[in-house]
Amino acid sequence: VGYSGGEPSIDPRFVEIVKRAKELGFTHQSLNTNGIRFKDAKFCRQVVEAGITSIDFSLHGHFAELHDELVAKKGAFDAIVQACEHLRALKAEGFQFHLSGTAVIARKNHVHLREIVEFMHGLGITNVRLKYAYEGNLNHDVIIQQVAPYQEVVPSVVAALDHLAGKRGGFHVTHVPLCLLGGHA
């Protein structure tokens, strides 16, 4: 079962839904989240005990100002940092689940991709996804302001891949044409 789109964890029944899915026999339940609710240690415990097996944080910067600006929510970065701290403590208790992170590659963060993935690993995130921010026409003014062209982001993606290749865990890049990554494809 995969929970994504908007923010699934804001549903007041979220813990009950995860628990029910586990009761029905679903052995893998993954969540993509902004992490805001996970700053609460009690909520983290409830979700993990209910049966979540993979938590993927959307993390777009390695410091608060960058991430919070990109998601337009002050405190979002700190929430993810707190969440990872709570979840690492639960792992230390023996709970089994994966921590992953997705960084959307945008104009304001692409030069920091290597630092972002290094930061993710420091949080205990072992699976990283780098996702180019847009797959369509780059001629729209708003898009041009937010999305860097492929030729600008590829060197940053390659630097991040060089780091990730030497780390334990998994990683993947989406929405970047493989032909632009050369030997890193």
Side-chain angles (χ1 to χ4, degrees), residues 60-94:
H60 313 299
H62 58 302
F63 57 93
E65 294 79 11
L66 177 59
H67 176 78
D68 291 359
E69 178 184 356
L70 288 170
V71 299
K73 176 122 178 103
K74 188 166 177 54
F77 177 84
D78 291 337
I80 292 174
V81 171
Q82 289 173 339
C84 288
E85 183 178 315
H86 300 318
L87 292 166
R88 283 192 315 269
L90 290 169
K91 279 184 167 258
E93 289 182 31

Side-chain angles (χ1 to χ4, degrees), residues 33-41 43-45 48 55 57 75-91 97 99 123-125:
T33 180
N34 64 19
I36 303 296
R37 287 212 55 205
F38 285 82
K39 68 182 177 185
D40 176 8
F43 182 76
C44 288
R45 179 173 290 280
V48 169
I55 301 168
F57 291 106
F77 177 84
D78 291 337
I80 292 174
V81 171
Q82 289 173 339
C84 288
E85 183 178 315
H86 300 318
L87 292 166
R88 283 192 315 269
L90 290 169
K91 279 184 167 258
F97 55 90
L99 276 183
L123 292 176
I125 291 171

Side-chain angles (χ1 to χ4, degrees), residues 132 134-135 149-151 153-154 157-158 161 173-182 184-185:
Y132 186 69
Y134 189 71
E135 309 96 51
Y150 288 129
Q151 59 268 31
V153 304
V154 166
V157 170
V158 166
L161 291 175
V173 178
T174 61
H175 302 94
V176 175
L178 292 176
C179 62
L180 297 179
L181 294 176
H184 285 78

Side-chain angles (χ1 to χ4, degrees), residues 7-27:
E7 178 51 47
S9 71
I10 62 171
D11 188 308
R13 303 164 300 159
F14 184 71
V15 173
E16 296 164 26
I17 292 167
V18 172
K19 184 177 180 182
R20 181 68 177 134
K22 182 178 180 182
E23 290 168 355
L24 290 170
F26 290 96
T27 58

Side-chain angles (χ1 to χ4, degrees), residues 43-157:
F43 182 76
C44 288
R45 179 173 290 280
Q46 290 172 334
V47 171
V48 169
E49 286 178 345
I52 204 78
T53 57
S54 180
I55 301 168
D56 179 73
F57 291 106
S58 295
L59 184 58
H60 313 299
H62 58 302
F63 57 93
E65 294 79 11
L66 177 59
H67 176 78
D68 291 359
E69 178 184 356
L70 288 170
V71 299
K73 176 122 178 103
K74 188 166 177 54
F77 177 84
D78 291 337
I80 292 174
V81 171
Q82 289 173 339
C84 288
E85 183 178 315
H86 300 318
L87 292 166
R88 283 192 315 269
L90 290 169
K91 279 184 167 258
E93 289 182 31
F95 287 99
Q96 300 291 314
F97 55 90
H98 298 281
L99 276 183
S100 61
T102 296
V104 173
I105 304 166
R107 185 173 295 281
K108 291 189 177 181
N109 73 348
H110 79 86
V111 297
H112 301 288
L113 286 181
R114 183 179 177 111
E115 293 91 343
I116 292 168
V117 299
E118 289 173 353
F119 182 76
M120 285 183 183
H121 278 117
L123 292 176
I125 291 171
T126 57
N127 296 291
V128 174
R129 176 172 66 140
L130 302 175
K131 180 182 184 270
Y132 186 69
Y134 189 71
E135 309 96 51
N137 185 342
L138 290 178
N139 291 330
H140 189 274
D141 288 342
V142 173
I143 300 302
I144 290 172
Q145 292 172 7
Q146 297 174 1
V147 180
Y150 288 129
Q151 59 268 31
E152 288 182 26
V153 304
V154 166
S156 300
V157 170

